[in-house]
Amino acid sequence: MPRSRAPAARDSGGEPRDTRDTRTSANVPASARGGADALRGPTGDPLLAAKFAIPAVPRTLVRRQRLLDQLTTGTAGPLTLITGPAGAGKTTLAASWVAEGTAPDPVVWLTAEHEDRAPGIFWSYVLEALRHHQVELPENPDRPGSAEFVEHSLLAGLASGLARRHRPVVFVLDGLDQIPVREVTSALDFVLSHAGPSLRLVVISRVDPLLPLHRYRAQGRICEIRSADLAFTRQEAAALLRGHGLESCEESVDALTARTGGWAAGLRLCALEMQRADDPNGFARSFAASQSAVADYLLAEVLDTQPEATRDLLMRSSILDRVHPDLANTLTGREDAEWILAGLTRAGAFVESVAGTRWCRFQPLFAEVLRTHLRHHHPGLEPRLRRRAAAWLAGHDRLTEALEQAAATEDWEWAAARVVDHLEIGRLLTGPEAQRLENCFAGMPRDLPGTASALVAAACAAAQYDLAGCRAHLDRAEEHIRTGQAQPCPETQLALSLLRLLSSPGTRDREGGCDAVHEADQTLDLAGHVPPARRVRHPEIEALRRYGLARGLLLTGRLGAARTAFAAAADGCTGATDVVRHHSLGQLALLESVHGELNEAEEHARFALATARNRSVPPARRSGIGHLALAAVALERGDLRGARHHLDLASECPDAEHDPVARTEMLVVRTRLALAQGRWRAALAVLAAPAVRPPTSAPWPSQRIALANSASQLARGDPAAAITALHEAGPDTSSHVIALARAHLASGDPDRALGLVPPPDDQRDAGIAQRVDILLIRAHAALLAKDTKTAHSTLGEALTAARPETLRGPFLDAGPWVRHLLELRPDTAHRHAWLTARPAAVNGTFRAGRLPVDGSPSAPLVVEQLSDRERQVLQHCAQVMSTEEIAEAMCLSVNTVKTHLRSIYRKLVVSRRGEAVRRARELSLLPPAVEQGAYREGGFGS
C-alpha cells in the first residue's frame, strides 16, 4: 500500500495533525500560496507547499525532555539521525522540538516522499524549502533543469552559499528512507561536508539512510536517536494516559507498556480505544490487536508495503516468540529467510535482531496482528506450522520452546514423550525454566493414557506440593508399565523412581528403616543405566535425589542423618538447581534451630532466602521454610515481634498449606507464640483446629505436634495431659524424652524426671538446646530438693552453654524459679545479663525484673561497668557540653574525651550522645541533679 501524501499523518502516534501553516499569507512566498505564480519542478508539476509545513504538535503530546535535550545537543554537530519504525514518534519529536523554540533559528522543514526520488525533483524541493522558510543565501543557485540529473555546479553553489552564512541553518529532512537513491544521498553528503558549520542536518528515517554513517561516527560528528530511545518509558506512558483523561488507569500502564514495547502509536491508539471502553482497565488487560485500530495501522503501514514473499514469511513465522533464519526456511519452504529478515531488521519493520545471535524477534503487537492475519487468510495452517516448528526446535536442543509449540496444538503425547525420553523430568521441578515447562502442561488432561503422560502429570503435581496426587499418577504409570508389552527405557524407570522418592510420605519399612533410603539407592542405580553424556547434561537429577533422601530422613525422624543429607544436597547444587539449594538450606536451618544452633540456623536461613532472590527462583517455587527457621530463631531469643514477622512471610509462600514440613512448623510457631504471650488457651485452640493440622502419618510431624501439645498442657497446669500427649506420639527422640521428664517434674515426680534424662557424660549426641534443657531439669530438681548450691551451679552451666547462641527460649519456658535463683546470686545475673531484656546487673547493682516476653528490648543485653572517668564524661554530656568544653572542664585532651565517648557508646550499646544519656537515666547511672537536667538531642555533634 503506498504511503500517504499527507506528511502530517506520519509518526503522529495515531493522532491526526493539523498540517496548515500558521503563518500569515503576507509572509509566505508565492510558491507556497499556489496559484498561477506557484513554482514548478523540472517535470512541470508544481512544488507542493504542504511538504514544507512543520507538522502541528498533537494536543495530547507527552513532553519528553530526555529526547529534546538529545536533539539540542545533536544539532551542535553536522548530522542528527532519528530512526525508528512507523509510529515510533520520530516526526512528533522533531516537530515538538521546533515548536518549543528549543531548536536554533532558522529551521527549514522538508517532508520527502517516494515520488521525489529523482535527483532533480529532490533538489528542487530542497531549494524551495530554503526559500519557503526565508533562508537567504548570498547567491541563489539555479534550479535543476532535469528530473534525472543535477549539475555539480548547483550543489557546489548551494554548499558555498550555506557556508558563507553567519547563522547556521537547521534543515529537518523527514522521510529520507523514501528516497533510496545513491545519487541523492551522495550529493546530500557532499553539500553537508562542504557547507561547514552553517548546515545542521536532521534526518528522520525508518531505516539508516545511504549516507556514510561510519565516517561520521568515526569522526564523532553524528548524534543518533534510535527506536530504543524513542520507546516510551513507564512514566511517559502514564503521562500519555493522563493526557487522554485516563488518570484512573495507572494499574494498566505496565501491561500496556510491555505489550506495545513502548511503541508510541500503539500506546496512543490503545488510549483512544480505552477512552471508548466501558471498562478501560479491563480493555487494557484483554486488549486484542485484531480488534483495534492498531491492527489497521500495522497492516497499512508495515505489512501491506512488503513484497508477497516477505508477507508470507512474516505470517508463518509469527507463531514463534523468536525466529531463526533456518527455522523460517523450514516453515516457508524457502532458502532466503536470512536475507529477508536482515532487510526487515534494517528497515525497522517491527523486527529486531537478538544481540549476538542469528535470531530475531517481532514486536508483540505486530506478532498478534500477523497471527490474526494468518488465521484469517490460511485457516488450518497454524497447527501444521507449530508441529513443524516443534520438530525443528527439539532437534536443535531447544526443547522448552518445542514443548510450547506442541502444547499450542495440544499434542500432549508427543510433548510428554519428549520430556521423559530426554530426561527432562527433573527440569519440571528445578532450574530456570521450571515454571515455563510446567505452564506447557497446564492444559494437559491429567487422565491422559500412557506412561509418559502419567509421569509428567506426577511431576506437575509434585511441583505444586500435591504429593498425594503425585503418588496417584505414579501408580497409574506403573499400571501402564505392567500392562505394556515393551520394557520401559532407562529414562522412564529413572523418572518413576525419582518421583517416588520425592513424593515419599515419610514412612518406615518393615525393618524400621527409611523407605526413602531404599528409593534413593534404587534411583542412583537406575541413573547408572542412562548414557553418561545424558546424565552429565542433567545435574538436577542427582540434586533432586539427594534432596529427596534428606526429606525422607527428616519425615521419619532421623534428624542427624537428615542434616547431613540436606547439607550434601545444598553443596552439590549448581546454577541450574537453585530451587533445590533454596529448599535444602531452609530445611537445614530449621533442623539447626531445633538443635539450638541458632547462629548457624540464622546464617543458612538467610542464605536460603538470598538464593531465592539473587538466583531468580520463581515465586511459585519458593519455600517458606527459611522464614520458619528464622521465626524459630527469633522465638528462642525472645524476639516475638521478629518471630511473628517471619511467620507472616512464611504463610505467604506457596508451600505454606501443602508441604507437610512447612505446615507442621507453622503450627508449632503459632503455638509457641501464643505460649510466650501467656495465652495457653489460644495455643490449645491452634492445635485443636482441624483445618490447620498437617498430615501426621509421618513420624516427625506427629512428634513436633506432640511436643507443642505437651508444652501447651503444661502451661495450662495439666502435667498428666502433657504426659499423655507425648506417649500417644511415641516419644523416641531426645526432645520427647526431655519433654516427658519436664512433665514428670511438673507433676511432682523429680526422681522419675531425673531417671529419664541422660547423665552429663552421655550427652555427646544431644544438641545445644537439648543439653540446656537437661541442665535446667537437673537445676530445678535440685532446687525442689532444697539443694540451692547445686541448683545455682547447674543453672550457671546451662547459662554458659546457651550464651554463645543467645539461647533464651529454654529459660523463658522453665518458669519463675530461674528468676528467683538469679535474684539470690547477683554475680551470676551480672555475668549472664544477656538473658534479660534489661541488664540484670549494672555497675554491680542487681536489677530485679521479669524475663523478656515482648521481644522488644529497650536496654542493652550486656552492660559493662563504666569507669569513673566515663561516668564524669557522661555527666557532662547530660549538661549539654561540647567535646571541647568537656575536655577543658576535665583537663583532658579532646581526643581523650572522644575515646571515652566511644567506650561509653560501646558499653551502653548506643551510637549517639542523646541515646547514651537516655540509657544512663534508665539504668540510674546519673546523679539526681543531672537526672533532672534537660538534654536536647542534636545540640552538638557526636
Side-chain angles (χ1 to χ4, degrees):
M1 179 177 178
R3 289 168 58 96
S4 169
R5 282 182 169 270
R10 292 224 317 255
D11 293 324
S12 64
E15 288 244 356
R17 290 202 300 249
D18 186 356
T19 60
R20 291 173 295 175
D21 198 332
T22 57
R23 297 173 297 176
T24 62
S25 60
N27 296 325
V28 180
S31 61
R33 297 195 299 269
D37 55 350
L39 292 177
R40 297 180 179 273
T43 61
D45 293 329
L47 300 178
L48 303 175
K51 296 187 179 185
F52 311 133
I54 300 173
V57 175
R59 176 180 53 82
T60 54
L61 173 75
V62 175
R63 191 174 187 278
R64 309 170 76 187
Q65 188 62 48
R66 60 185 179 91
L67 297 179
L68 296 173
D69 291 342
Q70 275 188 268
L71 264 177
T72 302
T73 303
T75 49
L79 179 60
T80 300
L81 180 61
I82 307 175
T83 57
K90 306 181 295 296
T91 301
T92 299
L93 170 64
S96 64
W97 177 64
V98 175
E100 280 199 357
T102 309
D105 193 57
V107 175
V108 177
W109 191 286
L110 172 60
T111 300
E113 292 184 309
H114 185 67
E115 292 77 7
D116 308 330
R117 61 187 180 278
I121 297 176
F122 173 78
W123 286 105
S124 295
Y125 270 110
V126 169
L127 294 172
E128 182 58 21
L130 291 167
R131 294 191 180 94
H132 179 93
H133 290 281
Q134 302 179 0
V135 174
E136 297 181 0
L137 300 176
E139 297 178 6
N140 289 325
D142 295 332
R143 294 182 177 278
S146 168
E148 304 302 326
F149 181 77
V150 174
E151 294 285 350
H152 180 73
S153 59
L154 184 152
L155 302 175
L158 176 59
S160 174
L162 289 169
R164 291 161 61 188
R165 282 182 53 84
H166 298 296
R167 294 172 59 193
V169 175
V170 175
F171 197 107
V172 180
L173 180 53
D174 188 5
L176 188 56
D177 54 291
Q178 294 297 299
I179 308 178
V181 179
R182 179 68 66 180
E183 290 83 357
V184 170
T185 52
S186 296
L188 189 61
D189 177 50
F190 172 83
V191 173
L192 183 60
S193 298
H194 291 84
S198 294
L199 178 60
R200 314 290 170 82
L201 181 62
V202 178
V203 173
I204 302 173
S205 176
R206 293 187 182 182
V207 299
D208 284 354
L210 297 176
L211 294 168
L213 299 180
H214 61 281
R215 192 181 71 216
Y216 286 94
R217 290 178 184 130
Q219 296 170 352
R221 300 171 67 232
I222 183 173
C223 170
E224 299 181 73
I225 300 177
R226 298 286 183 173
S227 56
D229 305 305
L230 294 168
F232 271 54
T233 64
R234 187 195 185 282
Q235 292 75 15
E236 291 167 347
L240 185 146
L241 291 184
R242 289 194 297 270
H244 284 77
L246 298 168
E247 292 85 356
S248 63
C249 297
E250 180 71 21
E251 64 184 76
S252 304
V253 173
D254 289 327
L256 285 176
T257 306
R259 193 176 187 87
T260 61
W263 176 44
L267 283 168
R268 202 174 297 276
L269 290 169
C270 288
L272 292 172
E273 293 288 332
M274 291 169 68
Q275 283 180 320
R276 292 191 286 269
D278 294 333
D279 179 10
N281 283 309
F283 169 83
R285 289 190 297 269
S286 62
F287 175 70
S290 59
Q291 298 175 358
S292 78
V294 176
D296 299 332
Y297 187 99
L298 288 171
L299 289 173
E301 291 289 334
V302 182
L303 191 60
D304 288 348
T305 63
Q306 303 299 330
E308 178 62 31
T310 302
R311 290 201 299 271
D312 183 65
L313 182 144
L314 287 170
M315 284 190 293
R316 288 171 177 262
S317 302
S318 65
I319 62 169
L320 303 160
D321 292 329
R322 301 191 306 170
V323 59
H324 189 277
D326 294 344
L327 176 53
N329 284 332
T330 298
L331 296 176
T332 60
R334 302 173 60 88
E335 296 181 356
D336 55 358
E338 186 158 20
W339 181 82
I340 294 175
L341 288 171
L344 290 168
T345 302
R346 287 194 302 271
F350 294 91
V351 180
E352 61 180 6
S353 60
V354 178
T357 72
R358 296 173 63 200
W359 292 80
C360 299
R361 66 165 64 92
F362 299 149
Q363 198 270 352
L365 278 180
F366 186 43
E368 289 186 25
V369 171
L370 290 172
R371 284 192 291 272
T372 301
H373 215 55
L374 173 67
R375 292 163 190 155
H376 177 73
H377 292 281
H378 303 282
L381 178 59
E382 182 179 352
R384 297 199 300 273
L385 292 174
R386 289 191 182 276
R387 283 191 287 270
R388 199 179 301 171
W392 188 93
L393 291 165
H396 289 77
D397 294 327
R398 308 188 75 89
L399 190 60
T400 302
E401 294 167 75
L403 294 175
E404 288 173 334
Q405 294 297 324
T409 62
E410 299 185 351
D411 193 353
W412 305 119
E413 290 83 357
W414 184 91
R418 291 301 177 279
V419 168
V420 175
D421 293 346
H422 288 75
L423 204 59
E424 299 286 334
I425 203 77
R427 291 180 57 217
L428 273 164
L429 302 171
T430 184
E433 293 187 327
Q435 190 64 51
R436 189 175 168 189
L437 281 167
E438 185 184 344
N439 292 339
C440 288
F441 294 97
M444 184 181 75
R446 292 302 183 244
D447 57 350
L448 200 69
T451 303
S453 301
L455 289 173
V456 169
C460 291
Q464 297 166 5
Y465 304 100
D466 180 10
L467 301 186
C470 176
R471 291 192 292 272
H473 289 302
L474 293 177
D475 291 342
R476 191 160 55 88
E478 288 185 331
E479 180 63 25
H480 284 301
I481 291 175
R482 282 194 300 270
T483 58
Q485 297 179 352
Q487 178 72 15
C489 64
E491 289 81 2
T492 298
Q493 293 177 304
L494 177 57
L496 179 61
S497 179
L498 178 65
L499 291 172
R500 280 289 184 201
L501 172 62
L502 294 171
S503 62
S504 170
T507 57
R508 295 176 177 174
D509 57 27
R510 295 177 181 177
E511 288 76 27
C514 178
D515 279 337
V517 175
H518 170 73
E519 200 68 63
D521 290 342
Q522 181 176 331
T523 303
L524 184 61
D525 180 62
L526 288 170
H529 296 285
V530 174
R534 180 160 289 176
R535 285 205 311 272
V536 170
R537 293 182 58 186
H538 294 283
E540 70 276 1
I541 299 297
E542 175 60 15
L544 288 168
R545 188 193 71 84
R546 293 184 180 187
Y547 175 75
L549 171 61
R551 281 274 294 190
L553 292 168
L554 170 61
L555 290 173
T556 52
R558 297 173 59 179
L559 304 190
R563 285 184 61 185
T564 302
F566 278 125
D571 290 342
C573 288
T574 63
T577 54
D578 283 327
V579 173
V580 178
R581 189 199 305 271
H582 165 62
H583 283 254
S584 297
L585 287 170
Q587 305 270 11
L588 178 61
L590 183 63
L591 288 175
E592 289 166 339
S593 71
V594 169
H595 280 76
E597 298 172 12
L598 305 187
N599 296 329
E600 288 287 323
E602 183 174 17
E603 180 181 352
H604 285 137
R606 297 197 183 280
F607 191 15
L609 299 176
T611 298
R613 291 192 302 270
N614 302 337
R615 306 295 180 88
S616 301
V617 174
R621 300 302 173 90
R622 295 185 183 182
S623 171
I625 298 292
H627 284 299
L628 288 172
L630 290 175
V633 170
L635 275 171
E636 294 292 357
R637 289 175 171 166
D639 180 9
L640 305 193
R641 185 180 303 163
R644 194 176 301 109
H645 169 69
H646 285 291
L647 177 62
D648 291 340
L649 292 176
S651 65
E652 297 172 0
C653 293
D655 61 345
E657 296 302 325
H658 304 285
D659 179 67
V661 174
R663 289 184 65 184
T664 298
E665 284 309 306
M666 288 189 69
L667 188 67
V668 170
V669 171
R670 287 195 182 104
T671 304
R672 294 187 60 194
L673 269 172
L675 292 176
Q677 295 165 337
R679 300 185 301 119
W680 58 265
R681 288 186 180 86
L684 288 172
V686 169
L687 293 168
V692 297
R693 292 197 61 152
T696 56
S697 58
W700 188 74
S702 302
Q703 293 162 5
R704 294 290 289 167
I705 293 170
L707 283 171
N709 192 8
S710 175
S712 302
Q713 296 294 350
L714 280 182
R716 179 189 182 186
D718 191 349
I723 294 171
T724 300
L726 291 169
H727 280 309
E728 288 176 351
D732 58 354
T733 65
S734 59
S735 296
H736 270 66
V737 172
I738 292 169
L740 190 59
R742 190 183 296 118
H744 281 296
L745 190 62
S747 68
D749 192 353
D751 292 337
R752 188 165 185 181
L754 291 174
L756 287 170
V757 297
D761 58 352
D762 190 24
Q763 299 177 17
R764 293 183 300 275
D765 296 332
I768 296 173
Q770 287 74 37
R771 292 200 298 271
V772 171
D773 281 334
I774 292 171
L775 288 169
L776 286 175
I777 289 172
R778 293 186 177 280
H780 193 190
L783 186 63
L784 292 175
K786 308 298 183 182
D787 187 356
T788 307
K789 182 178 179 181
T790 301
H792 275 302
S793 173
T794 308
L795 176 60
E797 289 183 50
L799 288 167
T800 301
R803 180 169 185 166
E805 304 290 341
T806 321
L807 181 63
R808 299 191 185 96
F811 303 95
L812 300 177
D813 297 338
W817 65 269
V818 174
R819 177 166 54 86
H820 296 325
L821 271 180
L822 289 175
E823 288 174 351
L824 294 175
R825 295 292 297 271
D827 57 332
T828 302
H830 176 67
R831 287 198 309 274
H832 298 286
W834 60 271
L835 182 63
T836 58
R838 289 178 177 273
V842 179
N843 291 340
T845 302
F846 178 75
R847 295 175 58 89
R850 298 182 60 188
L851 295 181
V853 295
D854 62 352
S856 55
S858 59
L861 298 177
V862 179
V863 177
E864 297 178 24
Q865 186 169 341
L866 299 181
S867 69
D868 291 337
R869 279 295 178 96
E870 289 169 351
R871 280 172 168 270
Q872 294 175 28
V873 170
L874 192 57
Q875 292 171 19
H876 288 309
C877 286
Q879 295 169 2
V880 199
M881 296 174 65
S882 68
T883 303
E884 291 75 15
E885 291 171 340
I886 296 173
E888 183 177 356
M890 297 181 65
C891 299
L892 300 172
S893 69
V894 172
N895 286 336
T896 301
V897 173
K898 290 180 178 179
T899 300
H900 286 315
L901 285 172
R902 286 194 292 270
S903 179
I904 292 169
Y905 296 164
R906 177 180 59 81
K907 292 181 178 181
L908 296 182
V909 197
V910 296
S911 58
R912 301 185 62 185
R913 291 189 186 188
E915 295 171 352
V917 171
R918 283 195 295 272
R919 185 61 53 79
R921 287 173 179 157
E922 293 172 0
L923 303 178
S924 301
L925 297 179
L926 294 175
V930 179
E931 279 274 321
Q932 300 301 321
Y935 183 86
R936 180 167 55 88
E937 176 70 72
F940 43 78
S942 58

